[in-house]
């Protein structure tokens, strides 16, 4: 150790000292997550994001978030037939403190999927890619299992390969027709009611009896160009009116007629067509305040 004074100790310690501990939640804001109007439960939860600061805008960090919610929670139903089906919703736009979501996919829970797979039966699966009327390209996964005849004494209920091909072809045709003949909202309603799987099970009874037929997964591969008006229709009344639905901060929907423009303040400023100059009726001091009222109105 060198002989001499320790300059660091003589000045009262190291530079800077201890940094002040700041709670990270103090600079975050809560936002309400809103589901489309095709579900009964509109508010599915809340999410956190850092407050807007400089070039870091909070809405940019909210868009693209994916929320996974059970169908039983979305439909306010305790039915066990709905609890194993999960819907994925993606945040597409932010209005005030509301995060507006859209359909992003569907899946079954792992325990339900594993409980269906058993021995002594044939698993039949079909994967179909189809496009909806409004331009969403989806990949749909369907699954089904052969059912044992009650009058049969056999332990197994295996289907022949020719029967499997026929059933898979029937699955592909029904899914393609259902997806290509409906828009996204109608398709989500069909998935919630599981009507497509029931049609497949009923149609394949003549080929080979099936049970546990489900649409086990839906993926959104491509989306059309983002349109705010269509997203607001999904979160509005959905009545097809020529109005623009706007979600307020309290969650209420405000209908505005098409081509709505805010009222123009009278006697604020005038534009001279000949000289192309802006004049004002009041004194020059109030001109800045007048322009502020115009842009806010």
């Amino acid at each position: 150790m060198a002989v001499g004074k320790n300059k660091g100790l003589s000045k009262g310690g190291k530079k800077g000292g201890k940094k002040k501990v700041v709670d990270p939640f103090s600079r975050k804001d809560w936002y309400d997550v809103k589901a489309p109007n095709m579900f009964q439960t509109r508010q599915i939860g809340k999410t956190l994001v850092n407050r807007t600061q400089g070039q870091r805008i909070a809405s940019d960090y909210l868009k693209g978030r994916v929320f996974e919610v059970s169908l039983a929670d979305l439909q306010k139903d305790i039915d066990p037939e709905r609890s194993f089906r999960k819907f994925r919703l993606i945040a597409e736009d932010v209005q005030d403190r509301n995060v507006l979501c859209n359909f992003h996919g569907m899946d079954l829970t792992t325990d339900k999927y594993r409980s269906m797979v058993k021995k002594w039966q044939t698993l039949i699966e079909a994967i179909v890619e189809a496009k909806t009327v409004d331009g969403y390209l989806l990949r749909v996964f369907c699954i089904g299992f052969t059912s044992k005849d009650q009058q049969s004494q056999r332990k197994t209920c295996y289907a022949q390969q020719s029967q499997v091909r026929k059933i898979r072809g029937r699955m592909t045709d029904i899914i393609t027709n259902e997806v290509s003949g409906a828009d996204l909202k109608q398709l989500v309603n069909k998935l919630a009611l599981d009507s497509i799987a029931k049609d497949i099970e009923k149609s394949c009874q003549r080929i080979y009896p099936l049970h546990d037929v489900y649409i086990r997964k839906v993926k959104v591969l491509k989306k059309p160009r983002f349109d705010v008006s269509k997203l607001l229709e999904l979160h509005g009344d959905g009545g097809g009116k020529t109005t623009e639905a706007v979600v307020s901060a309290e969650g209420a929907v405000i209908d505005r007629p098409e081509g709505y423009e805010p009222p123009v303040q009278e006697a604020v400023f005038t534009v001279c067509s000949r000289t192309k100059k802006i004049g004002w009726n009041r004194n020059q001091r109030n001109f800045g305040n007048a322009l502020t009222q115009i842009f806010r109105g």
Side-chain angles (χ1 to χ4, degrees), residues 58-107:
S59 60
D60 294 342
Y61 290 91
L62 288 171
K63 294 176 184 178
R65 291 188 181 183
V66 178
F67 306 93
E68 196 172 70
V69 191
S70 173
L71 181 61
D73 295 333
L74 288 171
Q75 300 290 24
K76 296 181 180 179
D77 195 353
I78 318 177
D79 187 7
E81 290 296 323
R82 295 177 180 269
S83 59
F84 58 81
R85 194 172 283 108
K86 301 179 296 183
F87 278 82
R88 304 181 70 197
L89 305 175
I90 185 170
E92 290 192 347
D93 195 17
V94 180
Q95 298 282 343
D96 294 334
R97 287 300 179 89
N98 299 319
V99 181
L100 307 183
C101 297
N102 198 0
F103 176 77
H104 190 60
M106 193 205 74
D107 198 1

Side-chain angles (χ1 to χ4, degrees), residues 6-70:
N6 191 338
K7 295 181 180 180
L9 294 175
S10 62
K11 292 183 180 180
K14 296 182 179 179
K15 285 186 177 180
K18 293 184 179 179
K19 291 185 178 180
K20 186 178 180 180
V21 179
V22 180
D23 186 12
F25 283 89
S26 63
R27 59 174 181 269
K28 295 180 183 292
D29 288 332
W30 288 96
Y31 285 77
D32 296 331
V33 182
K34 299 290 183 179
N37 59 4
M38 58 192 77
F39 302 108
Q40 294 184 9
T41 304
R42 300 300 304 278
Q43 182 170 347
I44 59 177
K46 291 179 177 290
T47 185
L48 274 174
V49 69
N50 288 333
R51 196 175 293 111
T52 301
Q53 185 176 5
Q55 295 182 350
R56 297 182 179 181
I57 303 174
S59 60
D60 294 342
Y61 290 91
L62 288 171
K63 294 176 184 178
R65 291 188 181 183
V66 178
F67 306 93
E68 196 172 70
V69 191
S70 173

Side-chain angles (χ1 to χ4, degrees), residues 59-229:
S59 60
D60 294 342
Y61 290 91
L62 288 171
K63 294 176 184 178
R65 291 188 181 183
V66 178
F67 306 93
E68 196 172 70
V69 191
S70 173
L71 181 61
D73 295 333
L74 288 171
Q75 300 290 24
K76 296 181 180 179
D77 195 353
I78 318 177
D79 187 7
E81 290 296 323
R82 295 177 180 269
S83 59
F84 58 81
R85 194 172 283 108
K86 301 179 296 183
F87 278 82
R88 304 181 70 197
L89 305 175
I90 185 170
E92 290 192 347
D93 195 17
V94 180
Q95 298 282 343
D96 294 334
R97 287 300 179 89
N98 299 319
V99 181
L100 307 183
C101 297
N102 198 0
F103 176 77
H104 190 60
M106 193 205 74
D107 198 1
L108 298 182
T109 56
T110 306
D111 58 338
K112 176 64 178 178
Y113 183 69
R114 291 181 177 179
S115 66
M116 295 187 298
V117 180
K118 300 175 184 178
K119 295 190 296 184
W120 320 122
Q121 63 184 4
T122 303
L123 185 152
I124 304 172
E125 191 172 15
I127 303 174
V128 184
E129 290 186 5
K131 183 177 287 188
T132 61
V133 176
D134 46 358
Y136 286 84
L137 181 62
L138 305 177
R139 180 177 292 161
V140 184
F141 298 78
C142 180
I143 193 172
F145 301 89
T146 54
S147 178
K148 186 178 179 181
D149 190 2
Q150 296 180 357
Q151 299 178 356
S152 176
Q153 299 296 328
R154 296 178 61 184
K155 183 179 181 180
T156 61
C157 54
Y158 296 130
Q160 298 178 357
Q161 287 300 317
S162 60
Q163 294 173 327
V164 172
R165 285 194 295 269
K166 289 181 181 179
I167 293 174
R168 189 177 291 115
R170 192 71 60 85
M171 287 180 175
T172 303
D173 295 340
I174 294 176
I175 293 173
T176 303
N177 294 333
E178 292 289 341
V179 174
S180 60
D183 57 3
L184 186 66
K185 184 177 180 180
Q186 296 173 351
L187 182 63
V188 171
N189 292 328
K190 292 180 181 180
L191 294 174
L193 297 174
D194 203 19
S195 61
I196 301 177
K198 293 177 183 177
D199 293 342
I200 293 173
E201 183 176 355
K202 184 178 180 180
S203 176
C204 296
Q205 288 296 324
R206 295 183 179 181
I207 303 174
Y208 203 101
L210 298 178
H211 74 288
D212 287 342
V213 180
Y214 293 104
I215 302 296
R216 70 171 187 88
K217 184 184 287 188
V218 178
K219 287 183 178 180
V220 179
L221 301 181
K222 288 184 181 180
K223 295 182 180 181
R225 183 173 295 179
F226 176 69
D227 190 359
V228 180
S229 60

